[in-house]
Amino acid sequence: MGGAEGEVKHEELVIVGAGICGLATALALHRKGIRSIVLERSESLRSSGVAIGILPNGWRALHQLNVASILRQTASPILGIKDIWLHKNKQQDMPFISGEARCLKRSDLIDTLYNALPPDTVKFGHQIISVKLDPQTNYPMVQLEDGSFIAAKVLIGCDGAKSTVADFLELKPTKLFDLCAIRGLTNYPNGHPFAHEFVRMRRDNVSVGRTPIDSKLVYWYVAHPRMQADNIASVDTELIRQYTTNLVHGFPKEIVEMVRNGDLDALCSTRIRYRAPWDLLLGNFRKGTVTVAGDAMHVMGPFLGQGGSAGLEDSIVLARSLARTMSTTPTDPTIVIEALDRYVKERRMRIVQLSTQTYLTGLLITESTSLLVKFACIVLMFILFRNAIGQTKYDCGTL
């Protein structure tokens, strides 16, 4: 835990949040010889959760972090994409991604990033409640729940969609799609029968996605319009399973059994949040020597499978920008501000493009979207994103 109330500790570089982006940013900085600490509110590593798809642009970032070879051992490659419309009796093989794509257990990714860091980088049980600027130095001051403070020369918020650091930057609040997603893992002790491809099935207003992680473990999700019952189901995993089993009634038998046999500990139900593309275009991502990365900066729907990969890209670009200055003049705030501005400038249009494509895709699959709006989305997608998988070709560069 933190220190005594009112006590002030001083650190060079502080990262808030030991999720994927927070750990990746700390590791990228470590690879560049810059020490940081990561403040994590939980008492232990939050390696729980479900799974995350990493597409070619994400693997390029993982290669720069020097952990790609380790993670390849934990997940099989995805070799194809298939869309199935059950109510129309229609099937379509989608254009496949050129490059590496795998679905990782979130815990494997978190554990691998954490184990690559120097000991004691992550400070557990440190929940921040506010950020302010020191009136004398203009450096950020983080107040912890126990009343103590940490003064940092650089503060990076990687604290997720409900980010305290983003609130300090006065970013617009995240918005909600009228969609819920239930995610789960199912283990097949004798091996599953599925091909190593991402399969998406639709029936009426329910969508089921399925991707094998390895020869025995399968990740799946069920997306559906939000209903009042979701508030009840979201707090009890047994209720989530019952509710999800009802949602997939009428789907093929193997889908129903996959949901029914899912690991209760991995089940979760969430509303889908996003930052609006226009807020990302106009938002202020730096104040003093404070910035954000990952979901704190650009949380987006899961429709393109790019949220995690975009956060990994952030970590590389941010560490590269800071390393140009902090290794030589770590105490000059003007130089640090210039580095953070370079990072924001490099990332802004990339995340605006990603979030716009994700936003338009989300509107298209949301039941409550009017036909006129859907038509406008189709036109914009055709004009702006004729190559639906073009975002996976992005290369964030070297550390």
Side-chain angles (χ1 to χ4, degrees):
M1 296 295 289
E5 184 172 350
E7 178 187 347
V8 179
K9 294 181 180 178
H10 295 267
E11 297 285 350
E12 285 283 318
L13 197 154
V14 173
I15 297 166
V16 181
I20 292 168
C21 185
L23 294 173
T25 301
L27 181 55
L29 290 164
H30 171 62
R31 300 285 188 226
K32 299 299 289 183
I34 300 172
R35 180 185 176 274
S36 66
I37 65 164
V38 182
L39 305 181
E40 169 54 45
R41 66 183 180 183
S42 298
E43 295 295 338
S44 59
L45 197 62
R46 289 184 293 121
S47 56
S48 60
V50 189
I52 182 168
I54 303 293
L55 301 180
N57 51 304
W59 283 101
R60 293 182 190 107
L62 289 172
H63 177 73
Q64 293 300 314
L65 294 172
N66 203 25
V67 295
S69 58
I70 299 170
L71 290 165
R72 287 189 183 103
Q73 301 170 26
T74 70
S76 303
I78 300 169
L79 303 176
I81 303 174
K82 188 175 291 181
D83 259 326
I84 300 171
W85 292 266
L86 296 171
H87 54 299
K88 297 180 180 178
N89 196 27
K90 177 184 173 184
Q91 178 174 311
Q92 180 181 4
D93 289 327
M94 302 295 288
F96 190 57
I97 296 157
S98 175
E100 185 172 10
R102 298 171 194 260
C103 185
L104 301 173
K105 281 179 66 180
R106 188 178 183 278
S107 59
D108 288 342
L109 180 52
I110 288 283
D111 290 344
T112 300
L113 293 170
Y114 177 77
N115 291 334
L117 287 167
D120 207 32
T121 298
V122 180
K123 310 296 181 182
F124 295 106
H126 284 62
Q127 167 135 13
I128 75 164
I129 59 172
S130 70
V131 180
K132 63 181 180 180
L133 295 180
D134 186 307
Q136 294 181 326
T137 65
N138 217 34
Y139 282 131
M141 297 272 292
V142 174
Q143 183 177 6
L144 302 179
E145 195 174 38
D146 65 0
S148 63
F149 291 85
I150 294 178
K153 290 179 180 173
V154 184
L155 178 66
I156 303 168
C158 300
D159 45 340
K162 299 178 181 179
S163 165
T164 302
V165 181
D167 290 342
F168 167 76
L169 295 176
E170 300 180 271
L171 296 182
K172 293 287 182 66
T174 57
K175 296 176 170 60
L176 290 164
F177 275 109
D178 194 24
L179 286 170
C180 287
I182 300 164
R183 299 174 174 92
L185 295 171
T186 302
N187 186 52
Y188 295 78
N190 299 318
H192 61 73
F194 308 125
H196 283 274
E197 59 187 6
F198 171 60
V199 176
R200 181 169 46 210
M201 297 183 187
R202 297 183 176 97
R203 185 176 187 272
D204 299 325
N205 57 3
V206 176
S207 173
V208 176
R210 180 192 72 211
T211 311
I213 293 176
D214 55 32
S215 60
K216 294 183 178 180
L217 190 64
V218 176
Y219 163 68
W220 54 266
Y221 72 82
V222 178
H224 61 97
R226 180 180 177 271
M227 292 173 277
Q228 195 60 39
D230 297 329
N231 295 330
I232 302 169
S234 64
V235 297
D236 185 309
T237 53
E238 188 57 58
L239 281 176
I240 293 175
R241 177 151 67 185
Q242 293 173 16
Y243 181 57
T244 314
T245 303
N246 291 334
L247 283 172
V248 298
H249 178 73
F251 279 76
K253 181 182 177 182
E254 71 266 17
I255 296 295
V256 178
E257 290 180 349
M258 180 182 70
V259 169
R260 188 178 291 140
N261 296 327
D263 180 1
L264 273 180
D265 291 337
L267 270 180
C268 68
S269 175
T270 55
R271 290 285 302 276
I272 296 177
R273 292 183 174 272
Y274 67 98
R275 286 202 189 279
W278 48 92
D279 290 338
L280 294 173
L281 183 62
L282 302 172
N284 179 21
F285 295 123
R286 181 197 60 76
K287 185 186 291 185
T289 57
V290 181
T291 193
V292 281
D295 281 354
M297 188 185 207
H298 50 65
V299 63
M300 62 187 77
F303 317 118
L304 301 183
Q306 281 287 0
S309 293
L312 293 170
E313 291 175 8
D314 292 342
S315 71
I316 301 300
V317 177
L318 182 50
R320 183 172 65 226
S321 299
L322 285 170
R324 292 180 189 175
T325 58
M326 289 198 70
S327 58
T328 55
T329 53
T331 58
D332 186 343
T334 304
I335 301 298
V336 173
I337 285 169
E338 289 176 3
L340 295 181
D341 283 343
R342 278 198 304 270
Y343 155 71
V344 170
K345 182 179 180 180
E346 184 171 343
R347 293 304 294 160
R348 189 184 297 275
M349 291 314 299
R350 166 65 174 163
I351 62 174
V352 166
Q353 289 173 355
L354 275 176
S355 65
T356 300
Q357 187 177 357
T358 304
Y359 176 68
L360 294 174
T361 305
L363 288 179
L364 281 171
I365 66 175
T366 300
E367 191 74 12
S368 59
T369 306
S370 71
L371 290 177
L372 182 61
V373 172
K374 286 191 177 184
F375 177 74
C377 290
I378 291 169
V379 173
L380 286 170
M381 289 285 278
F382 180 78
I383 295 171
L384 300 173
F385 307 109
R386 193 171 299 187
N387 182 357
I389 59 173
Q391 303 288 6
T392 66
K393 297 179 181 178
Y394 183 84
D395 188 341
C396 63
T398 62
L399 264 177

